[in-house]
Amino acid sequence: TIREYSYGYNELMADPTSSEKFNLEEVGRYFENKGYKVQKLEQLWRHVTGQVRFENEKLFLKLASTKEIGDRTRNEKCFNENVNSVWKKQIKTFKAPEVFDEGYFQDKYWFVGEFVFGKPMAEISQQKISVSQRDLEAAAKIAKNIMDLSEVGLLSKDKEHLRNM
């Protein structure tokens, strides 16, 4: 199945009861009308995620299930765009998917981006997580690299606030 490539902070900070279920056929028709060929859609929790094709390119779709989740999804989209533009020189440990399109479906935010091939370090339903030492070290380097971006991406007053905190 398709996995959301970002289960991180934004997912955890949102209210777990705030998800709304979508009619996936209706969602599929909406994106077909926008010129995408929908290959797969699923709603595991707070987002509808899917594989779509546009001009024979495989892409990733992420649709927020509420307006509040949409705010966090827009943050994710902006982070991805900044990684691929403003912060490109500072990123040494990871790659963010390029964003190609965005919009609203029934007042819920969505974006379409580059499909990232790979395997998650842990599955949602996994009871025991077996992560290698090498994976943990890579994850730590990525986390440090993201924290280092705050020096690049924050305004002066935000940096001062962060130091005080």
Side-chain angles (χ1 to χ4, degrees):
T1 62
I2 301 165
R3 298 287 183 245
E4 294 181 48
Y5 58 83
S6 174
Y7 284 115
Y9 178 79
N10 291 333
E11 288 289 309
L12 297 173
M13 294 309 293
D15 177 5
T17 61
S18 66
S19 181
E20 294 177 19
K21 273 302 225 188
F22 279 106
N23 175 328
L24 295 182
E25 287 181 19
E26 189 177 346
V27 171
R29 280 192 302 274
Y30 171 82
F31 284 99
E32 293 276 345
N33 288 336
K34 294 193 74 51
Y36 293 100
K37 182 168 179 10
V38 175
Q39 295 186 304
K40 185 169 189 167
L41 294 174
E42 63 184 358
Q43 185 173 2
L44 298 176
W45 190 12
R46 296 184 183 141
H47 289 92
V48 170
T49 56
Q51 290 177 21
V52 297
R53 284 200 173 272
F54 187 78
E55 295 180 356
N56 212 26
E57 185 173 354
K58 188 182 211 179
L59 301 170
F60 176 79
L61 162 70
K62 189 168 189 177
L63 165 64
S65 64
T66 68
K67 285 183 179 183
E68 295 75 22
I69 297 298
D71 292 340
R72 291 161 174 82
T73 308
R74 265 192 313 280
N75 286 345
E76 177 183 338
K77 187 267 312 181
C78 290
F79 179 86
N80 290 351
E81 287 178 332
N82 281 341
V83 164
N84 288 312
S85 61
V86 179
W87 301 329
K88 197 170 195 162
K89 292 178 185 173
Q90 288 79 24
I91 302 298
K92 308 213 181 325
T93 59
F94 67 95
K95 182 184 181 309
E98 188 176 337
V99 177
F100 298 112
D101 196 7
E102 66 181 319
Y104 289 87
F105 171 74
Q106 298 177 354
D107 294 328
K108 313 301 186 309
Y109 180 77
W110 59 265
F111 72 87
V112 171
E114 178 182 8
F115 189 89
V116 177
F117 296 91
K119 183 177 150 238
M121 286 173 49
E123 300 289 335
I124 292 176
S125 61
Q126 209 172 348
Q127 295 297 319
K128 264 188 165 177
I129 298 175
S130 176
V131 180
S132 75
Q133 181 71 25
R134 189 179 62 203
D135 289 338
L136 289 175
E137 289 170 5
K141 286 178 183 174
I142 290 169
K144 182 184 181 317
N145 196 186
I146 290 172
M147 290 170 48
D148 291 342
L149 291 176
S150 66
E151 288 299 314
V152 176
L154 294 178
L155 299 172
S156 305
K157 66 178 183 169
D158 295 328
K159 289 178 188 177
E160 183 62 32
H161 176 74
L162 187 59
R163 271 192 287 277
N164 291 338
M165 295 303 290

